[in-house]
Coordinates of all heavy atoms in Angstrom, one line a residue:
Chain V
V147 N 41.3 20.6 -16.1 CA 42.7 20.4 -15.6 C 43.6 20.1 -16.8 O 44.7 20.7 -16.9 CB 42.6 19.2 -14.6 CG1 44.1 18.8 -14.3 CG2 41.9 19.6 -13.4
N148 N 43.1 19.2 -17.6 CA 44.0 18.8 -18.8 C 44.2 20.0 -19.8 O 45.3 20.1 -20.3 CB 43.3 17.7 -19.5 CG 43.4 16.4 -18.8 OD1 44.3 16.4 -17.8 ND2 42.7 15.4 -19.2
C149 N 43.3 20.8 -19.9 CA 43.4 21.8 -21.0 C 43.9 23.2 -20.6 O 44.3 23.9 -21.6 CB 42.1 21.9 -21.7 SG 41.4 20.4 -22.4
V150 N 43.9 23.4 -19.3 CA 44.4 24.8 -19.0 C 45.8 24.7 -18.4 O 46.1 23.9 -17.5 CB 43.5 25.3 -17.9 CG1 44.1 26.7 -17.4 CG2 42.1 25.5 -18.4
P151 N 46.8 25.3 -19.1 CA 48.1 25.1 -18.8 C 48.6 25.6 -17.4 O 49.0 24.8 -16.6 CB 48.8 26.0 -19.8 CG 47.9 26.9 -20.3 CD 46.5 26.4 -20.1
E152 N 48.2 26.7 -17.0 CA 48.6 27.2 -15.8 C 47.7 26.7 -14.7 O 46.5 26.4 -14.9 CB 48.6 28.8 -15.7 CG 49.9 29.3 -16.3 CD 49.6 30.6 -17.0 OE1 49.6 31.7 -16.4 OE2 49.4 30.6 -18.3
P153 N 48.2 26.5 -13.5 CA 47.5 25.7 -12.5 C 46.4 26.5 -11.9 O 46.4 27.7 -11.6 CB 48.6 25.5 -11.5 CG 49.6 26.6 -11.6 CD 49.5 27.1 -13.0
L154 N 45.4 25.7 -11.6 CA 44.3 26.2 -10.8 C 44.1 25.4 -9.5 O 44.5 24.3 -9.5 CB 42.9 26.0 -11.6 CG 42.8 26.9 -12.9 CD1 41.8 26.3 -13.8 CD2 42.4 28.3 -12.6
T155 N 43.5 25.9 -8.5 CA 43.4 25.1 -7.3 C 42.2 24.1 -7.6 O 41.4 24.4 -8.5 CB 43.0 26.0 -6.0 OG1 41.7 26.5 -6.4 CG2 44.0 27.2 -5.9
K156 N 42.2 23.2 -6.7 CA 41.1 22.1 -6.9 C 39.7 22.8 -6.8 O 38.9 22.5 -7.5 CB 41.3 21.1 -5.7 CG 42.1 19.9 -6.1 CD 41.6 18.8 -5.1 CE 41.8 17.4 -6.0 NZ 41.9 16.3 -5.3
K157 N 39.6 23.7 -5.8 CA 38.4 24.4 -5.6 C 38.0 25.2 -6.8 O 36.7 25.3 -7.2 CB 38.4 25.2 -4.4 CG 38.5 24.3 -3.1 CD 38.1 25.0 -1.8 CE 38.1 24.1 -0.8 NZ 37.8 24.6 0.6
E158 N 39.0 25.9 -7.4 CA 38.7 26.7 -8.6 C 38.2 25.7 -9.7 O 37.1 26.0 -10.4 CB 39.9 27.4 -9.1 CG 40.2 28.7 -8.2 CD 41.6 29.3 -8.5 OE1 42.5 28.5 -8.9 OE2 41.7 30.5 -8.3
V159 N 38.8 24.6 -9.9 CA 38.5 23.6 -10.9 C 37.0 23.3 -10.7 O 36.1 23.3 -11.6 CB 39.4 22.6 -11.0 CG1 38.8 21.5 -12.0 CG2 40.8 23.0 -11.4
S160 N 36.8 22.9 -9.5 CA 35.4 22.3 -9.2 C 34.4 23.4 -9.4 O 33.4 23.1 -10.1 CB 35.4 21.9 -7.7 OG 34.1 21.7 -7.3
L161 N 34.6 24.6 -9.0 CA 33.6 25.6 -9.2 C 33.4 25.9 -10.6 O 32.2 26.1 -11.2 CB 34.0 26.9 -8.4 CG 32.9 27.8 -8.3 CD1 31.9 27.3 -7.3 CD2 33.3 29.3 -7.8
I162 N 34.4 26.0 -11.4 CA 34.3 26.3 -12.8 C 33.5 25.2 -13.5 O 32.5 25.4 -14.3 CB 35.7 26.4 -13.5 CG1 36.4 27.7 -13.0 CG2 35.5 26.5 -15.1 CD1 37.8 27.8 -13.3
A163 N 33.8 23.9 -13.2 CA 33.1 22.9 -13.7 C 31.6 22.8 -13.4 O 30.8 22.7 -14.2 CB 33.7 21.5 -13.2
N164 N 31.3 23.1 -12.1 CA 29.9 23.3 -11.7 C 29.2 24.4 -12.5 O 28.1 24.2 -12.8 CB 29.8 23.5 -10.2 CG 29.8 22.2 -9.4 OD1 28.8 21.4 -9.4 ND2 31.0 21.8 -8.8
N165 N 30.0 25.5 -12.7 CA 29.3 26.6 -13.3 C 29.0 26.2 -14.8 O 27.9 26.5 -15.2 CB 30.3 27.8 -13.4 CG 30.2 28.5 -12.0 OD1 29.4 28.2 -11.1 ND2 31.1 29.6 -11.8
I166 N 29.9 25.6 -15.4 CA 29.7 25.3 -16.8 C 28.6 24.2 -16.8 O 27.6 24.4 -17.7 CB 30.9 24.5 -17.4 CG1 32.1 25.6 -17.5 CG2 30.6 24.0 -18.8 CD1 33.4 24.9 -18.0
F167 N 28.6 23.3 -16.0 CA 27.5 22.4 -15.8 C 26.1 23.0 -15.8 O 25.2 22.6 -16.6 CB 27.8 21.5 -14.6 CG 26.9 20.3 -14.4 CD1 26.9 19.2 -15.3 CD2 25.9 20.2 -13.4 CE1 26.0 18.1 -15.1 CE2 25.1 19.2 -13.2 CZ 25.2 18.1 -14.1
I168 N 25.9 23.8 -14.9 CA 24.5 24.5 -14.8 C 24.3 25.5 -15.8 O 23.1 25.8 -16.2 CB 24.2 25.0 -13.4 CG1 25.2 26.2 -13.1 CG2 24.2 24.0 -12.4 CD1 24.5 27.1 -12.1
E169 N 25.3 26.1 -16.4 CA 25.0 26.9 -17.5 C 24.5 26.2 -18.7 O 23.6 26.7 -19.5 CB 26.4 27.6 -18.0 CG 26.8 28.8 -17.0 CD 28.2 29.3 -17.1 OE1 28.9 28.8 -18.0 OE2 28.6 30.0 -16.2
G170 N 24.9 25.0 -18.8 CA 24.3 24.1 -19.8 C 22.8 23.9 -19.5 O 21.9 24.0 -20.3
H171 N 22.6 23.6 -18.3 CA 21.1 23.3 -17.9 C 20.3 24.7 -18.1 O 19.1 24.5 -18.5 CB 21.0 22.9 -16.5 CG 21.8 21.5 -16.2 ND1 21.9 21.0 -15.0 CD2 22.3 20.6 -17.0 CE1 22.6 19.9 -15.0 NE2 22.8 19.6 -16.4
M172 N 20.9 25.7 -17.7 CA 20.2 26.9 -17.7 C 19.6 27.2 -19.1 O 18.5 27.8 -19.2 CB 21.1 28.0 -17.2 CG 20.4 29.5 -17.3 SD 21.3 30.7 -16.5 CE 22.7 30.9 -17.5
W173 N 20.3 26.9 -20.1 CA 19.9 27.1 -21.4 C 18.5 26.5 -21.6 O 17.6 27.0 -22.3 CB 20.9 26.6 -22.5 CG 20.4 26.6 -23.9 CD1 20.0 25.6 -24.6 CD2 20.2 27.9 -24.6 NE1 19.6 26.0 -25.9 CE2 19.8 27.4 -25.9 CE3 20.4 29.2 -24.4 CZ2 19.5 28.3 -26.9 CZ3 20.2 30.1 -25.5 CH2 19.7 29.6 -26.7
G174 N 18.3 25.4 -21.0 CA 17.0 24.7 -21.1 C 16.0 25.3 -20.1 O 14.9 25.6 -20.5
F175 N 16.4 25.3 -18.8 CA 15.2 25.6 -17.9 C 15.0 27.1 -17.8 O 14.0 27.5 -17.1 CB 15.6 25.0 -16.5 CG 16.6 25.4 -15.7 CD1 16.8 26.7 -15.2 CD2 17.6 24.5 -15.4 CE1 17.8 27.0 -14.4 CE2 18.7 24.8 -14.6 CZ 18.8 26.1 -14.0
R176 N 15.8 28.0 -18.4 CA 15.4 29.3 -18.5 C 15.2 29.8 -20.0 O 15.4 30.9 -20.3 CB 16.5 30.2 -17.9 CG 16.4 30.1 -16.3 CD 17.4 31.0 -15.6 NE 17.3 32.4 -15.9 CZ 16.3 33.1 -15.5 NH1 15.3 32.6 -14.8 NH2 16.2 34.4 -15.8
R177 N 14.9 28.8 -20.8 CA 14.8 29.1 -22.2 C 13.8 30.1 -22.6 O 14.0 30.9 -23.5 CB 14.4 27.8 -22.9 CG 13.0 27.3 -22.6 CD 12.6 26.1 -23.4 NE 11.7 25.4 -22.6 CZ 11.6 24.1 -22.5 NH1 12.6 23.3 -23.1 NH2 10.6 23.5 -21.8
W178 N 12.7 30.2 -21.8 CA 11.7 31.1 -22.1 C 12.3 32.5 -22.2 O 11.7 33.5 -22.8 CB 10.5 31.1 -21.1 CG 10.9 31.5 -19.8 CD1 11.5 30.6 -18.9 CD2 10.7 32.7 -19.1 NE1 11.7 31.4 -17.7 CE2 11.2 32.6 -17.9 CE3 10.1 33.9 -19.6 CZ2 11.2 33.7 -17.0 CZ3 10.1 35.0 -18.7 CH2 10.7 34.9 -17.5
I179 N 13.4 32.8 -21.4 CA 13.9 34.1 -21.5 C 15.2 34.1 -22.3 O 15.4 35.0 -23.2 CB 14.2 34.7 -20.1 CG1 14.8 36.1 -20.2 CG2 15.1 33.8 -19.2 CD1 13.7 37.1 -20.7
L180 N 16.1 33.1 -22.1 CA 17.4 33.1 -22.8 C 17.2 32.9 -24.3 O 17.9 33.6 -25.1 CB 18.3 32.0 -22.3 CG 18.8 32.2 -20.9 CD1 19.6 31.0 -20.3 CD2 19.7 33.4 -20.8

Side-chain angles (χ1 to χ4, degrees):
Chain V
V147 169
N148 286 343
C149 299
V150 175
E152 277 147 84
L154 293 160
T155 67
K156 264 203 148 160
K157 292 197 171 177
E158 283 169 332
V159 172
S160 169
L161 196 68
I162 293 167
N164 275 285
N165 282 351
I166 295 172
F167 185 66
I168 62 153
E169 282 160 10
H171 296 171
M172 175 167 73
W173 175 250
F175 66 63
R176 289 181 61 66
R177 67 176 153 225
W178 67 280
I179 182 70
L180 291 177

